[in-house]
Structure formats: structure tokens, C-alpha cells
């Protein structure tokens, strides 16, 4: 971890972000584990030059909490509260929630977004593939995709989702990133997928 309160660390990290965005022409940056970085530091990305769109990963189920990270005109936050709601509704289990929970979530939680940009997702680099959680049920997967595509916010699709990628479960290392997003050149590109 970095000491973001140290002025020298702050300055050098800001320079690092600016240099890399400018040098490589990135459209924006994804900030992993943003809740472990000081908000004043995040609010100042970038300190100089043109704006840099920043997407913050804040793993928390409270919409009022995560929206506090999407303060600027060019910042957004991953919508974990919606993700958790969709998991409860779509993933088969003995305590599966009814679809009406989504309407209730939209009614109760939606106003807490306060006009901030939310990134709606089913999968990201840290989570098992959604279709894997559904045991390959593509009807459920497609319906869950429709939810994130139709909800207020910006839908985010993880590479491989268009291929119904399931990932590979390795019980010896279940959180290893490669388990959930193997390269398509290793697993093949299916041109006949319905997704």
C-alpha cells in the first residue's frame, strides 16, 4: 500500500497516472480496491492536464456508500449493490429472491445514486463468471444481461462474456484470476454463440 497522505508519494503517483495516460493514449483508468485509497487522492485524479475518466471498484453493498466515490464529472463506480441483487435473483439456490426484489431495489436504492454514473456488471476480473454461477443456464444469463443493459447506468461487459465464458474452477486456487478469464486463443472463439 502507498501512503497517499505523504506529499511526495501523492505527487509521484499523480505524475505516474498522467504520464501513462498521455503516453499510451488510455481513455480512462480503473482503480482497483478504491475504498483502500484516500478519497482526497482519488478526487484529485488528475491534478493537472485534461480530465481522466476514472472507474472505481468499491466492493460494498450499500449504494449510498459507493456513490461517494463517483464525485467528479469524469468518475464512475462499479455498481456492486445491483450485482449482489442480481446474484440473489438469478443464481439458483434455496433462498433465491423473487424478481420483484429488483423492482424494490430500483425503487428504494435508485434515488441514492443521485445522478452519479454507475457501472452495471455481472462479471469482473475478481469474480467467478456469472454463467458459471448459473451452471451454464443461458436463458438465465441472457435475462441477467438484459437487466444490466436496461438499467440506468453504463453496462460493463467483461471480455469473454459474449462467448458465454464459464471459466475454470480450480479448488486449489479458486480466486486465481486466470480461472475466470482464460485467453480466447487458448479456449477457442465460438462464432455460433447466441449471446
Amino acid at each position: 500500500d502507498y501512503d497517499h497522505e505523504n506529499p511526495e508519494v501523492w505527487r509521484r503517483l499523480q505524475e505516474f497516472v498522467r504520464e501513462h495516460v498521455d503516453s499510451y493514449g488510455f481513455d480512462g483508468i480503473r482503480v482497483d480496491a478504491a475504498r483502500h485509497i484516500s478519497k482526497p487522492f482519488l478526487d484529485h485524479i488528475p491534478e493537472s492536464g485534461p480530465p481522466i475518466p476514472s472507474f472505481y471498484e468499491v466492493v460494498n453493498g450499500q449504494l449510498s456508500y459507493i456513490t461517494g466515490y463517483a464525485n467528479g464529472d469524469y468518475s464512475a463506480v462499479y455498481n456492486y449493490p445491483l450485482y449482489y441483487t442480481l446474484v440473489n435473483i438469478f443464481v439458483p439456490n434455496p433462498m433465491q429472491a423473487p424478481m420483484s426484489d429488483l423492482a424494490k431495489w430500483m425503487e428504494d436504492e435508485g434515488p441514492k445514486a443521485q445522478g452519479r454514473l454507475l457501472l452495471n456488471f455481472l462479471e469482473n476480473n475478481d469474480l467467478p463468471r456469472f454463467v458459471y454461477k448459473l451452471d451454464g443456464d443461458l436463458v438465465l444469463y441472457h435475462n441477467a444481461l438484459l437487466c444490466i443493459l436496461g438499467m440506468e447506468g453504463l453496462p460493463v461487459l467483461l471480455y469473454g462474456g459474449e462467448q458465454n465464458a464459464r471459466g475454470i474452477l480450480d479448488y486449489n486456487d479458486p480466486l486465481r484470476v486466470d480461472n475466470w478469464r482464460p485467453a480466447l486463443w487458448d479456449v477457442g472463439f465460438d462464432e455460433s454463440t447466441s449471446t
Side-chain angles (χ1 to χ4, degrees):
D1 291 343
Y2 294 105
D3 178 6
H4 295 91
E5 304 304 321
N6 180 315
E8 182 61 23
V9 172
W10 178 301
R11 183 188 64 75
R12 187 59 198 122
L13 286 172
Q14 290 286 347
E15 288 174 359
F16 177 84
V17 170
R18 177 87 273 156
E19 288 168 8
H20 280 76
V21 168
D22 292 347
S23 294
Y24 298 105
F26 297 138
D27 294 324
I29 61 171
R30 176 185 181 273
V31 180
D32 192 40
R35 73 180 189 173
H36 302 290
I37 301 171
S38 74
K39 280 188 184 180
F41 178 82
L42 295 173
D43 290 343
H44 285 88
I45 295 176
E47 282 196 317
S48 64
I52 298 173
S54 302
F55 302 153
Y56 300 119
E57 181 198 44
V58 181
V59 182
N60 188 288
Q62 300 299 316
L63 195 60
S64 55
Y65 178 81
I66 68 164
T67 56
Y69 285 84
N71 291 325
D73 291 339
Y74 296 93
S75 62
V77 66
Y78 285 87
N79 193 347
Y80 271 91
L82 175 61
Y83 168 77
Y84 294 137
T85 301
L86 294 176
V87 166
N88 290 338
I89 292 169
F90 285 100
V91 176
N93 68 70
M95 301 298 293
Q96 189 170 1
M99 192 66 170
S100 59
D101 278 13
L102 181 58
K104 182 170 177 20
W105 184 88
M106 292 168 57
E107 185 178 304
D108 295 346
E109 297 296 313
K112 295 176 184 174
Q114 302 171 3
R116 302 217 173 87
L117 182 56
L118 300 176
L119 304 172
N120 301 331
F121 68 98
L122 294 176
E123 305 166 319
N124 71 22
N125 62 305
D126 295 324
L127 299 168
R129 293 287 188 164
F130 206 79
V131 73
Y132 178 86
K133 292 179 175 203
L134 302 174
D135 199 25
D137 186 329
L138 294 181
V139 172
L140 284 176
Y141 182 55
H142 293 163
N143 279 289
L145 280 172
L146 285 172
C147 285
I148 67 162
L149 293 171
M151 297 284 292
E152 185 175 344
L154 180 68
V156 175
L157 303 175
L158 181 64
Y159 150 89
E162 78 287 354
Q163 291 288 301
N164 303 320
R166 289 184 59 153
I168 303 160
L169 179 60
D170 177 354
Y171 285 104
N172 295 321
D173 190 3
L175 296 179
R176 197 175 115 211
V177 169
D178 293 347
N179 293 344
W180 306 117
R181 53 180 183 160
L184 283 180
W185 52 82
D186 289 336
V187 296
F189 186 82
D190 182 359
E191 294 183 25
S192 65
T193 178
S194 60
T195 305

